[in-house]
Amino acid sequence: MWKDIPGYENEYQMSDRAVIKRKDSHGADGRLLTEKTLKASHASNGKSYICLWKNRKRKSYMLHKIYAKTFGISEKEAIRRIYEGFSGRREPAEYVQGLLEKDLKALEEEQNNGRDRKEEMLYVKKMIESLRTFY
């Protein structure tokens, strides 16, 4: 999902995956600028920053601050989503969901073989559902 970055509407957008793109526009000298995904740079503290242009002036922003402002969340939550992932070990939510789905299949197989796994299956299903709302 792409959203306009506040203060840079119709110029830059950010995805829910913290990717920034420049939209089709015209440069200060009148030349056509095509849509382009921007690459973030890394600060010495390990965080990422990006430079955006407006009115012939460049301004640097920490990536998590733009993310928080664009999606209306706290900076702390933005840092967690961008740098730590769902589990806190930099694993994306999709990876964790895939692991849970494999576990669920194994539990269903055990249930079919006569072992009572209803509670575990219910718990894993709830975790998968909460992951789907995460991204």
Side-chain angles (χ1 to χ4, degrees), residues 100 120-131:
L100 288 172
E120 292 96 335
M121 289 170 45
L122 181 61
Y123 178 76
V124 172
K125 286 178 184 178
K126 285 182 182 180
M127 288 293 294
I128 292 171
E129 189 58 37
S130 70
L131 277 172

Side-chain angles (χ1 to χ4, degrees), residues 61-70 75 78 82:
Y61 296 95
M62 297 305 291
L63 194 62
H64 66 276
K65 290 185 179 195
I66 296 175
Y67 190 90
K69 193 174 183 182
T70 302
E75 286 185 20
I82 293 172

